[in-house]
Amino acid sequence: MPYEPKAIEPKWQAYWREHAVFAAKVDPDKPKFYVLDMFPYPSGEGLHVGHPKGYIATDVFSRYKRMRGFNVLHPMGWDAFGLPAEQYAIETGTHPRATTARNVENFRRQLQSLGVDYDWSREINTTDPRYMRWTQWIFRKLYERDLAYLAEVPVSWCPALGTVLANEEIIDGRSERGGHPVVRTAMRQWMLRITAYADRLIDDLDEVDWPEPIKKMQREWVGRSVGTRIDFELANGADETIEVFTTRPDTLFGATYMVLAPEHPLVEKITTPEQRSEVERYVEATARRSERARIADAKEKTGVFTGAMAAHPVTGAPLPIWIADYVLATYGTGAVMAVPGHDQRDYEFAKGLDLPIVEVVSGGDLSEAAYAEDGISVGSDFLNGLSTSDAKQRMTDWLEEHGKGGRAVSYKLRDWLFSRQRYWGEPFPVIHLEDGTTALLDESELPLLLPELDDFKPSGEFEPPLARSREWLETTDPATGAPALRDTNTMPQWAGSCWYYLRFCDPNNEQAPWSEEAERYWMPVDLYVGGAEHAVLHLLYARFWHKVFYDLGLVHTVEPFQKLLNQGMVLGYSYRYYDDNLAGAEGVEPAVYSSSEVRIDGETATAIEGGAELKARWVRAEDVQRDADRRPIHPDIPGLVLEEVTEKMSKSRGNVVSPDDVIERYGTDSMRLYEMFMGPLDKGAPWSDAAIPGVHRFLQRAYRLLVEETGGGERLVDLADGPGTPDQQRLAARAIHGVTEDIEAMRFNTAISKLMVFSREIGRDAALSREVAEVFLLLLSPFAPHLAEELWQRLGHPQSLAAEPWPTADAALLEESTLTLAVQVNGKRRDEIEVPADADDETIRRAALASPAVARQLAGREPKRVIVVPGRLVNIVS
RNA sequence: GCCGGAGUGGCGAAACUGGUAUACGCAGGGGACUCAAAAUCCCCCGGCUUCACGGCCGUGCGGGUUCAAAUCCCGCCUCCGGCACCA
C-alpha cells in the first residue's frame, strides 16, 4: 500500500484528542511558552487556504518548542460577535446566535482537519455569556477609572439603513450597501480615553520584539508632536480666546490670518452679522460632505471670512479669522494660525484668496512656494538672527512669561468611539436614570444578556435594535427602585478581542476573568502571529487595555505580546474584465471590455473608446477557458480575453481555494508542508495547486524510506542497528543543526528543503539505520506530524512523539576534515582546491597558486596580493 | 504626496555577518525500468559563444566604494501594502 494520508491523518487527530496530548497545565517546574494566533471571526464562508498559513506556522513552532522541553500553551477560540451574522439576521430572521453556532462548528471542523496542536479544552467564544460577563466586568473597571465616558460625537448616520457607518462603508457620500445617502450628525456615545495612555503606547514599544515597520506605524498613529500652544485674543476685546497649537512658534510674526475648522464652537459666536449667511452656508456644505470627499479635493482650498478679527499676541496687529475645511476639527485645537510664508497649505490658501504672505525665515523663495525648512529668523522683532530651534525656544519662553501660551504636546490619536448601534455585541452594563445620570450595574448582575428579538432591524430614527424590547429596555435602579433605562448601544467587536489572550490563560474561571496564578505563569504571549491588517487598531487597543489592567494590578507585564510576526497573505489568481452595468442590474446585456480597452484612473475605470464609466467583473477561476494561445478567456462571451491578476482571496473575486479540497486530494500534511515551503512566512505569495504534488512526492518518499510494499501488503524495511555509517551520522548531525537553526529563525521553507536533501542522501550508500531514521522522523514531525507519528509508531514506539526530546547534533560530527575552497583570480572564480580543514594560510596559498587554471589566468604575471578567506575562498590579485 | 516592503532562471524561491549567484521545489528535456502506460529512479536545465577545453555577460536601471557587491553608498524605474491637508 502506498502512503495513504486519508487513513493516517484522522487516526492521529483522534489519538491526540483522546489522549489530551496538547492540554496545557500550569507547571512551575517547566519553562512555559505561550504561542497565540489571532483568533478568527467564524464567517459563513469557512476557511480558505490563506487563513491556515499563520496557524500552521504557530503549530510547527509550538510542536518544536514542546519537544525542546517547554510547557506550551497554544489555544484557539472565536471572535464571534460581528456584522455579517447580524446582517444575515436582518435579511432572514435567523438569530445571530444560530448562525454563529453553525459557523463555529464548521470552522472548528476545518481547523481540526489541519491537525494543529490546539488545546481545545481552552476554546473560548466572545459571545458566550461566561465570556461576555467578564468583558462587561472590564468595562466597569474602565468606567470606574474614568476611562469610559459619554460624549456627543459626530458620526456618519445612514437614515435608510438606520445605522451608523464606518468610513470604509461609505463611498461618495453614500452607503456602500444600497447607495443610500449618509449625513454627519452628533450622537451620544461611549468613548474610551485611550489618549490618556498615548505616551505609554509609544514609549513601551521599545520593550517588545516586533517588526520595526509595525512599531513605526503604531508610533505614527499615536502621532505625538511637541510644540507650543498660543492664545489669540479677539481684536474687539470680546472675552474669547482662540487656542492654537503649532510646531513652529518661531514663525508667529509671519501669521497673517487665522483659520478655524468649520465645526469649531467659536464660529457661531464670532461671526459678524454681515458674514453670517455666507458662513452658515459654508458650514452646512462642509457637514454634507463626507470625510472622504473632503480629502479627495484637498488641492482646492476653500474658505469663508467670518468678519471677526483676532489680535496678534505680540504686536497686537489685527488678523482676519477665516473658516476653511482644510483645518480639521479633530486635530490639535481645531484652529490654526496661518503662516502662509512657511506652511504650504496656508500658502495655497493665501494665494487662492489673495491674503498677505510675509517672510520671517530666510532661505526660500516665497514667490514660488512656502519655505517650511529651518533657517534664520528675519522680520521677527526679538527673534531676528536666531536659528529656527533657538527662535522656537525664545518665542515659547516669551509666551509663557506673558501668559499667552506655553509648551504643549499634541497627538493624532483620538479617543476611541466605543458604541455601536447594533444588536450582536456586548450590552453596556449600565443604566440611565431619569435625572440624566448614569450608573453601573453591580458585578452580581453580570452578565447582562441581550434581549431575545425576532426582528433585528434598527427600530426607528436613531433607535438601535435593542430599543425594540421595551421590557429589556425599561428597568429600575436597584439602589432606589426608581425607573431607569438600559443603554441601547453595544460594544464594538474589538471589545472581545482586547483581552482574549488573558482568558486563554484561565478560560473556565468563574470567580475572575483570570487568576493571578495563571497570569503570572503564562503571560506574556511569547509569540503572536497574525495578519498585518491588524497592525494598528487591534494591537493598539489590546495594548491600551493591557496597560489599564497593569495599573489595576491585574497583570504583571507592561506589554501583552512579546514577539509579533505577520504572516504574508496567500494570494489567488483571479480573472478580470469590465462592463458598463454599473448598478449590477439584472436582465440587461451590458457592453463588455477587456482590460486593454480600459483606462484606470485611481478608483474609476473608463472605456478608452467612448469614455463610458465601467465596473470590474470577475470570472471564477474554475470557469475560465483558454484560447489557442493559452490566454484566459470568458466561458460565455466569445473572444473576451480576461486579465490574470494575483490578489487577495475573496469570494467576490472568485479566486478562493478551500483547504477542504486540498486535504481531500493530498492530505493535510501535504498542504501544511506546501504552505510552509512556498516562501518566507512573512511574504505574500500566490497559491498554486500545481506545486503541491512536489511536496506530496516528498512525503511519499519519506514513507517509502521506512515502509516497503510486499505482494499484497507492506512491511517495515530492514533497518541496520546502531548509529549508522559515519556518512549517515554526519548527514544526520548536519540536518539536525540546520533544521534547528531554521526553525528558531522561523525559516520554515529552508528547513523543509534541508529535510528533502537529508531524506534523499540518507539511504544512498548503506541501509538506513534505526537511529538515523528516528532523527529524520523527529525533525519532520513539526511539519508533517501525522505521517511522522504513524512511522514512529511503526518503528515500535507505543507513545506519541509529541513529547520526545528534540534531537541534538554531535558537534564533532559537524566538523569537516577537508574543505573545498574556491580560487578566484581578480575576483572571478577560476578553480577550486581541496585542503585539510586545519591547513594554514601559507599551505592554502601555495595550493591555490599551484592550480593550472590560475597559472593560465596569470599568464606569467606575478600575483600582487593573495587574500585567504578562511573556510571560503582564495582571491589572487594580479 | 508621505511611510513601509519587494524586484534574482519559464515559475515559487535560496545565498544567515560583503566571500564559489541560482540550494530546494514546480514546469520542461533526455534516459532507465515496462509489452505499454502510470508510478518510481537517474541525468540535463540563466544567456551568448566555442568541435571541445574554455571564454564573455548576467541578481530592475545608471553610477560608486572594495581584492571581492544580490548584499554597502548615491541617483532613478516598476510593483505591492498602509496612511492621507496632523498645523
Side-chain angles (χ1 to χ4, degrees):
Chain A
M1 251 183 36
Y3 166 50
E4 269 292 356
K6 263 195 203 136
I8 295 172
E9 292 175 354
K11 167 180 161 187
W12 287 99
Q13 286 166 13
Y15 177 95
W16 296 328
R17 202 165 44 242
E18 281 156 23
H19 293 76
V21 173
F22 304 122
K25 282 196 196 67
V26 170
D27 178 356
D29 296 332
K30 266 172 111 181
K32 65 92 186 183
F33 197 85
Y34 185 179
V35 191
L36 185 65
D37 296 291
M38 288 185 188
F39 70 160
Y41 172 75
S43 75
E45 271 130 56
L47 293 176
H48 63 64
V49 291
H51 294 109
K53 188 167 168 179
Y55 306 151
I56 295 167
T58 54
D59 184 50
V60 170
F61 202 71
S62 63
R63 285 175 185 270
Y64 164 75
K65 278 286 177 181
R66 190 175 292 108
M67 294 172 82
R68 292 298 297 251
F70 286 87
N71 190 17
V72 172
L73 174 59
H74 190 203
M76 182 43 83
W78 318 107
D79 189 15
F81 278 125
L83 217 41
E86 180 158 340
Q87 272 159 2
Y88 189 70
I90 292 170
E91 284 158 26
T92 65
T94 315
H95 197 288
R97 193 182 301 118
T99 315
T100 302
R102 194 169 59 229
N103 293 348
V104 163
E105 283 301 315
N106 188 41
F107 260 64
R108 191 192 301 109
R109 175 191 64 75
Q110 286 190 304
L111 282 180
Q112 287 180 342
S113 75
L114 296 171
V116 177
D117 65 349
Y118 293 125
D119 175 359
W120 286 104
S121 72
R122 289 175 185 259
E123 177 179 351
I124 58 180
N125 182 326
T126 55
T127 66
D128 185 334
R130 287 168 300 173
Y131 185 91
M132 197 165 89
R133 169 186 176 187
W134 297 112
T135 308
Q136 291 171 334
W137 183 89
I138 291 165
F139 180 83
R140 288 186 86 255
K141 296 286 177 201
L142 293 166
Y143 185 92
E144 285 169 352
R145 292 218 126 205
D146 194 31
L147 292 168
Y149 61 97
L150 283 162
E152 294 281 333
V153 191
V155 292
S156 304
W157 172 258
C158 177
L161 295 173
T163 187
V164 170
L165 298 177
N167 272 344
E168 58 268 26
E169 295 175 291
I170 305 166
I171 297 167
D172 295 336
R174 293 180 164 267
S175 66
E176 186 184 18
R177 286 179 306 121
H180 306 295
V182 175
V183 294
R184 298 283 290 171
T185 181
M187 280 185 97
R188 196 163 171 77
Q189 309 204 56
W190 287 105
M191 303 292 290
L192 296 187
R193 220 179 290 281
I194 188 172
T195 49
Y197 284 75
D199 284 320
R200 288 162 70 183
L201 288 170
I202 290 181
D203 297 340
D204 292 347
L205 285 171
D206 296 340
E207 312 280 312
V208 294
D209 180 13
W210 287 16
E212 220 29 72
I214 303 276
K215 286 192 186 185
K216 191 163 185 235
M217 281 162 79
Q218 291 231 337
R219 283 191 198 104
E220 278 173 9
W221 191 268
V222 177
R224 176 162 58 195
S225 89
V226 176
T228 302
R229 178 181 53 81
I230 307 178
D231 298 330
F232 286 75
E233 280 166 18
L234 293 192
N236 63 7
D239 190 24
E240 300 283 356
T241 50
I242 297 173
E243 202 179 287
V244 153
F245 172 80
T246 179
T247 54
R248 292 297 302 271
D250 61 303
T251 63
L252 179 53
F253 287 99
T256 55
Y257 60 101
M258 309 282 297
V259 188
L260 303 182
E263 300 90 340
H264 196 286
L266 277 182
V267 172
E268 175 80 35
K269 288 188 195 156
I270 63 170
T271 301
T272 58
E274 307 83 70
Q275 295 300 107
R276 184 155 300 271
S277 64
E278 206 186 336
V279 166
E280 279 174 358
R281 228 177 306 132
Y282 188 80
V283 170
E284 211 180 294
T286 307
R288 267 204 311 273
R289 297 169 77 202
S290 69
E291 276 189 24
R292 286 257 162 122
R294 245 167 101 168
I295 290 155
D297 14 278
K299 284 129 264 164
E300 281 172 42
K301 300 239 173 339
T302 59
V304 174
F305 179 44
T306 62
M309 305 295 268
H312 190 284
V314 184
T315 66
L319 303 172
I321 303 171
W322 289 68
I323 60 169
D325 65 2
Y326 80 90
V327 173
L328 305 176
T330 49
Y331 181 73
T333 61
V336 300
M337 63 173 203
V339 184
H342 305 284
D343 181 282
Q344 190 57 31
R345 294 155 304 182
D346 297 343
Y347 184 88
E348 285 162 12
F349 188 79
K351 279 272 173 190
L353 294 155
D354 229 6
L355 294 160
I357 299 171
V358 297
E359 180 177 59
V360 291
V361 180
S362 63
D365 175 4
L366 298 192
S367 64
E368 290 290 317
Y371 178 70
E373 309 296 313
D374 288 2
I376 302 297
S377 289
V378 295
S380 291
D381 197 340
F382 56 86
L383 299 181
N384 285 341
L386 296 180
S387 70
T388 295
S389 71
D390 290 346
K392 283 181 183 175
Q393 292 285 346
R394 185 67 165 276
M395 180 52 87
T396 307
D397 290 344
W398 189 95
L399 290 165
E400 270 174 357
E401 281 159 26
H402 292 78
K404 292 185 171 182
R407 289 178 171 72
V409 181
S410 189
Y411 302 91
K412 271 197 263 187
L413 184 69
R414 308 171 200 170
D415 273 343
W416 175 11
L417 177 67
F418 197 65
S419 300
R420 299 292 183 269
Q421 291 69 44
R422 317 273 192 206
Y423 174 77
W424 196 226
E426 298 89 345
F428 284 90
V430 298
I431 48 173
H432 299 288
L433 302 171
E434 284 183 323
D435 65 1
T437 59
T438 301
L440 281 178
L441 286 185
D442 193 75
E443 255 189 79
S444 63
E445 296 187 57
L446 304 185
L448 171 63
L449 299 177
L450 288 163
E452 289 305 315
L453 299 181
D454 41 28
D455 184 351
F456 301 92
K457 282 196 278 293
S459 64
E461 185 81 347
F462 298 101
E463 286 282 284
L466 289 189
R468 281 182 181 277
S469 173
R470 302 312 292 183
E471 74 189 72
W472 182 87
L473 182 66
E474 290 163 7
T475 181
T476 53
D477 179 0
T480 64
L485 290 178
R486 298 199 189 279
D487 197 299
T488 53
N489 293 300
T490 51
M491 298 185 202
Q493 198 175 4
W494 306 113
S497 61
C498 266
W499 71 282
Y500 75 111
Y501 59 92
L502 286 162
R503 186 64 176 173
F504 276 137
C505 296
D506 195 8
N508 300 309
N509 196 323
E510 309 233 328
Q511 266 65 56
W514 58 85
S515 70
E516 190 186 342
E517 183 205 11
E519 190 278 329
R520 284 214 160 256
Y521 182 71
W522 292 115
M523 285 298 290
V525 173
D526 296 284
L527 176 66
Y528 193 27
V529 176
E533 64 272 21
H534 298 296
V536 178
L537 293 181
H538 161 62
L539 290 169
L540 199 72
Y541 292 154
R543 291 179 60 224
F544 162 45
W545 279 31
H546 195 83
K547 289 176 190 307
V548 176
F549 301 152
Y550 182 81
D551 292 346
L552 288 165
L554 293 169
V555 299
H556 78 285
T557 62
V558 175
E559 285 286 328
F561 312 120
Q562 191 48 44
K563 185 181 168 104
L564 176 75
L565 206 94
N566 294 117
Q567 87 266 22
M569 205 176 277
V570 175
L571 306 169
Y573 291 103
S574 54
Y575 297 88
R576 184 160 65 187
Y577 68 103
Y578 296 84
D579 72 24
D580 61 358
N581 182 9
L582 298 181
E586 310 223 349
V588 294
E589 283 275 327
V592 297
Y593 299 82
S594 192
S595 67
S596 56
E597 304 167 302
V598 175
R599 182 186 304 118
I600 308 287
D601 182 20
E603 304 215 324
T604 50
T606 49
I608 291 172
E609 210 135 304
E613 194 174 327
L614 305 176
K615 208 159 178 184
R617 306 285 169 197
W618 284 266
V619 175
R620 292 194 344 199
E622 60 264 40
D623 297 336
V624 170
Q625 309 279 312
R626 297 279 172 170
D627 68 8
D629 301 328
R630 301 280 313 140
R631 288 183 307 182
I633 53 167
H634 195 285
D636 306 319
I637 306 172
L640 180 63
V641 176
L642 304 169
E643 181 188 10
E644 184 180 86
V645 272
T646 53
E647 48 190 359
K648 193 171 157 171
M649 279 192 185
S650 82
K651 210 176 181 185
S652 64
R653 304 291 156 98
N655 60 352
V656 172
V657 179
S658 164
D660 293 350
D661 299 339
V662 179
I663 291 170
E664 171 66 24
R665 271 188 82 180
Y666 298 102
T668 295
D669 281 338
S670 292
M671 189 180 81
R672 293 168 54 106
L673 213 59
Y674 172 63
E675 293 219 8
M676 294 300 99
F677 188 62
M678 290 171 77
L681 187 60
D682 54 359
K683 257 182 86 176
W687 178 269
S688 165
D689 281 330
I692 301 175
V695 289
H696 188 67
R697 274 198 287 270
F698 163 63
L699 291 180
Q700 284 173 321
R701 271 200 304 275
Y703 184 80
R704 283 197 309 268
L705 210 55
L706 288 169
V707 179
E708 63 187 5
E709 281 188 58
T710 58
E714 55 181 24
R715 60 185 280 271
L716 197 64
V717 298
D718 294 322
L719 294 170
D721 284 328
T725 65
D727 266 349
Q728 288 176 336
Q729 291 178 52
R730 254 195 307 281
L731 284 167
R734 226 176 289 149
I736 293 167
H737 180 74
V739 171
T740 306
E741 254 187 0
D742 283 348
I743 293 179
E744 285 284 353
M746 309 280 269
R747 287 190 302 254
F748 300 136
N749 53 332
T750 52
I752 292 167
S753 102
K754 287 181 175 101
L755 286 170
M756 287 171 166
V757 174
F758 182 39
S759 77
R760 195 182 51 206
E761 302 292 323
I762 199 64
R764 205 158 248 186
D765 305 317
L768 189 57
S769 87
R770 168 172 284 271
E771 279 177 35
V772 171
E774 291 188 347
V775 164
F776 175 67
L777 291 181
L778 293 171
L779 295 183
L780 178 68
S781 68
F783 301 96
H786 309 83
L787 175 61
E789 289 273 23
E790 178 68 21
L791 294 175
W792 186 253
Q793 185 186 53
R794 295 205 198 178
L795 283 179
H797 297 281
Q799 301 280 323
S800 160
L801 54 59
E804 275 313 299
W806 187 253
T808 50
D810 179 349
L813 288 170
L814 291 173
E815 310 221 329
E816 309 278 351
S817 57
T818 63
L819 293 174
T820 306
L821 304 183
V823 181
Q824 297 181 335
V825 177
N826 292 328
K828 287 200 168 120
R829 186 179 173 283
R830 297 296 175 184
D831 200 1
E832 54 182 44
I833 52 172
E834 195 132 316
V835 295
D838 56 1
D840 59 18
D841 282 8
E842 190 47 39
T843 316
I844 292 169
R845 182 193 170 90
R846 248 182 285 126
L849 287 169
S851 152
V854 169
R856 188 165 59 236
Q857 285 299 322
L858 288 177
R861 280 166 303 164
E862 273 304 301
K864 283 202 203 109
R865 233 175 116 185
V866 178
I867 294 152
V868 177
V869 182
R872 292 279 182 179
L873 53 72
V874 185
N875 190 12
I876 297 159
V877 186
S878 71

